[in-house]
Amino acid sequence: MAAYDVVVIGSGPGGYVAAIRAAQLGLKTAIVEKWPTFGGTCLNIGCIPSKALLHASELYEEAGHGFADMGIGVKPTLDLKTMLAFKDEGVDGNVKGVEYLLKKNKVDSYRGVGALAGKGKVKVTPDKGEPTEIEAKNIIIATGSDIVRLPNIEIDEKRIVSSTGALTLSEVPKKMIIVGGGVIGLELGSVWRRLGAEITVVEFLDRLLPPEDREVSRQFERILKKQGMIIRTKTKVTGVDTSGKTLKVTVEPADGGEAETLEADVVLVAIGRKPYTEGLGLEAAGVAVDDRGRVKTDGHFRTNVEGVYAIGDVKDGPMLAHKAEEEGVAAAEIIAGQAGHVNYGAIPNVTYTYPEVASVGRTEEALKADGVEYKVGKFPFTANGRAKVNRTTDGFVKILADKKTDRVLGVHIIGPDAGTMIGEAVLGMEFGAAAEDIARTSHAHPTLSEAVKEAALAAGSGAIHI
Ligand code: FAD
Ligand code: NAI
């Protein structure tokens, strides 16, 4: 029986990164994956394909509307089949990249469903052929997450789709209803709106992107409406009648009231994801899960069973690829006897729409609720030279800093390239920056990132350019 120091189950951003780091630290490592390709949700059906379509559809829209103002005459036409092939090629390149990295780092790979099979053992059951057992001093569960479904609404991935089906629609729907105004709904809704669909977003709560700062989510809603999205907050979908050619979607006010029927060609259900632990044999192995089915871990990714660890979407914390990666590195380091650590206070969130929404740290609502005394520095992109000349002035940067110590507690950006700009705020928070540290840091001119400096100035001695 092959024997390893570490066996990782699942090859998403958590699993493959953990395996590579474990191997780099000199541990004999194997990875088990049930899908035909490595990379998990993120590379196959998540981050990567969605960003390929966001990129292509943004250029399509820009060419159709924005180019003429700059004196560039283009009449774009849409060849959806080629756009989807462009996305698939991007996925292929990325998953092959992971395969290469695993080989380069001498990580053995096993294809099939991995399950805990008694102390220090993993059983791998391939699609075809006999199961094999491998020995593992340490096991890392990195099996990720799966979509949450709505009761009574069956996802067929053709007309009623999850994010997976929404990445492969063969035609642009005339009307698309999106259940859930979260990250997936707004990213994929943006893709199909840009390609010509009428989008209605139905969100249960009173605002889009509920975990973001309220001011950001309000501004975002206004911008998306201006782009033509129909947004129905405080509304729930109660059923979908699939009997006719057009889907009849019943919606009701979230807190009760009269139902109404909306029509759509496609419904996207994007109401969150849940940990995926099917076939893992957790119960038999005695691994504890919490009331939401997440594998319970201590501060060092250890489950209640000795030698079994968990990282990524399958455990608690934000369901983000970079969070899974950080945990993968830290878990491997801990297994190798080092002091692996993840700073959960400095994990950025990015929604890759136009404009982008990006944040790190705490929202104003959270600070208020905890009675923290804070100050706010804000700077709009309308006052940023580069944004003005590019005509990308929607949005602002907002910095929240401790009133007494000036330490940065949260940074919220809505604007062009917010996802890239948030990087400096994350680094600053990682280093315990004060707003003044950012304000006194030279930012190249003319760049959008000068808005971050100006927001930091606004939190202290005052912004210059407004
Ligand atoms: P996963 O990536 O889910 O990987 C788990 C792997 O384990 C899978 O390959 C699965 O096949 C395998 N597996 C499961 N059970 C077994 C078993 N028993 N045996 C063997 N293999 C098994 N996050 C971001 O940070 N940025 C984004 O832009 C972003 N975009 C997203 C877009 C969409 C449409 C979706 C759905 C998600 C997106 N996410 C994004 C979230 C991100 O994909 C996840 O947070 C991330 O993939 C979690 O990584 P993971 O390693 O924990 O699990
Ligand atoms: P989400 O949690 O971001 O959003 C779900 C939304 O649906 C919430 O606003 C919620 O209030 C709403 N909702 C829940 N039940 C509802 C109902 N019955 N009717 C109407 N609205 C309802 O989840 P989403 O968008 O499905 O994404 C899943 C995960 O994937 C996220 O947690 C996110 O972390 C990750 N992801 C990250 C991306 C990124 O980092 N850019 C992109 C896409 C996904």
Side-chain angles (χ1 to χ4, degrees), residues 8-16 32-35 37-51 54 110-115 123-124 141-147 163-164 167 183-184 187-188 273 276-281 311-315 318-325 327 348 350-352:
V8 183
I9 307 179
S11 74
Y16 85 75
V32 184
E33 174 54 58
K34 70 186 170 81
W35 285 349
T37 49
F38 295 117
T41 305
C42 181
L43 276 70
N44 290 283
I45 52 167
C47 329
I48 294 298
S50 61
K51 267 76 247 176
L54 279 158
Y110 290 81
R111 298 285 177 180
V113 176
K123 181 167 139 187
V124 184
I141 299 171
T143 50
S145 61
D146 191 13
I147 49 175
S163 51
T164 306
L167 290 166
V183 203
I184 290 182
E187 287 189 353
L188 295 179
R273 294 179 63 83
Y276 182 81
T277 53
E278 260 173 60
L280 253 184
I311 58 169
D313 281 11
V314 79
K315 71 180 279 294
M319 288 184 166
L320 295 171
H322 42 281
K323 173 262 193 186
E325 290 186 28
E327 291 183 340
V350 181
T351 303
Y352 297 87

Side-chain angles (χ1 to χ4, degrees), residues 431-446:
F431 287 3
E436 191 181 345
D437 292 324
I438 299 177
R440 290 192 184 274
T441 302
S442 176
H443 286 65
H445 177 75

Side-chain angles (χ1 to χ4, degrees), residues 72-298:
I72 306 170
V74 200
K75 277 211 178 85
T77 55
L78 177 64
D79 172 357
L80 182 58
K81 217 171 146 191
T82 303
M83 195 180 278
L84 295 178
F86 163 80
K87 172 210 62 172
D88 292 341
E89 264 176 49
V91 169
D92 192 52
N94 273 281
V95 298
K96 285 195 177 130
V98 171
E99 188 168 354
Y100 162 79
L101 289 173
L102 288 168
K103 274 197 191 131
K104 182 183 154 205
N105 285 285
K106 302 196 171 41
V107 175
D108 288 349
S109 52
Y110 290 81
R111 298 285 177 180
V113 176
L116 307 179
K119 196 172 163 40
K121 284 199 187 94
V122 172
K123 181 167 139 187
V124 184
T125 310
D127 262 1
K128 287 182 200 132
E130 290 302 303
T132 39
E133 270 194 6
I134 46 183
E135 261 176 44
K137 280 193 200 132
N138 299 281
I139 299 166
I140 301 180
I141 299 171
T143 50
S145 61
D146 191 13
I147 49 175
V148 170
R149 290 155 209 275
L150 276 167
N152 314 324
I153 299 179
E154 196 189 322
I155 291 174
D156 62 13
E157 297 296 11
K158 289 195 172 68
R159 294 206 294 166
I160 304 184
V161 297
S162 70
S163 51
T164 306
L167 290 166
T168 52
L169 297 179
S170 56
E171 273 177 53
V172 179
K174 281 198 183 66
K175 290 185 177 201
M176 184 168 181
I177 290 180
I178 296 177
V179 193
V183 203
I184 290 182
L186 299 176
E187 287 189 353
L188 295 179
S190 292
V191 166
W192 293 106
R193 184 198 57 71
R194 293 167 186 169
L195 300 182
E198 179 194 282
I199 302 290
T200 304
V201 177
V202 180
E203 165 59 46
F204 188 80
L205 297 177
D206 68 346
R207 62 186 176 112
L208 302 176
L209 297 182
E212 295 292 351
D213 192 88
R214 181 171 285 273
E215 204 178 349
V216 169
S217 88
R218 289 276 180 242
Q219 170 101 347
F220 193 39
E221 185 172 336
R222 281 195 289 274
I223 295 170
L224 291 178
K225 281 182 174 160
K226 220 166 58 185
Q227 292 174 359
M229 259 193 205
I230 302 162
I231 314 272
R232 307 274 306 254
T233 48
K234 290 197 261 179
T235 307
K236 62 182 174 191
V237 168
T238 51
V240 182
D241 176 357
T242 57
S243 59
K245 220 174 141 223
T246 311
L247 300 169
K248 302 248 181 330
V249 181
T250 318
V251 298
E252 277 175 27
D255 38 16
E258 216 167 293
E260 82 186 270
T261 305
L262 307 176
E263 293 199 342
D265 308 296
V266 171
V267 171
L268 162 61
V269 179
I271 56 164
R273 294 179 63 83
K274 57 176 186 193
Y276 182 81
T277 53
E278 260 173 60
L280 253 184
L282 287 188
E283 224 177 281
V287 175
V289 295
D290 69 13
D291 55 353
R292 290 162 66 180
R294 300 176 296 196
V295 176
K296 271 195 194 169
T297 52
D298 64 8

Side-chain angles (χ1 to χ4, degrees), residues 384-435:
N384 171 276
R386 187 65 180 276
K388 260 196 228 168
V389 76
N390 287 356
R391 301 205 190 164
T392 54
T393 51
D394 279 332
F396 57 83
V397 178
K398 173 171 171 178
I399 295 186
L400 304 168
D402 189 284
K403 202 166 189 174
K404 284 196 200 90
T405 65
D406 197 35
R407 189 179 177 138
V408 177
L409 302 173
V411 179
H412 305 272
I413 309 178
I414 173 167
D417 278 335
T420 305
M421 278 187 279
I422 202 69
E424 70 165 291
V426 179
L427 191 67
M429 287 187 68
E430 193 65 55
F431 287 3

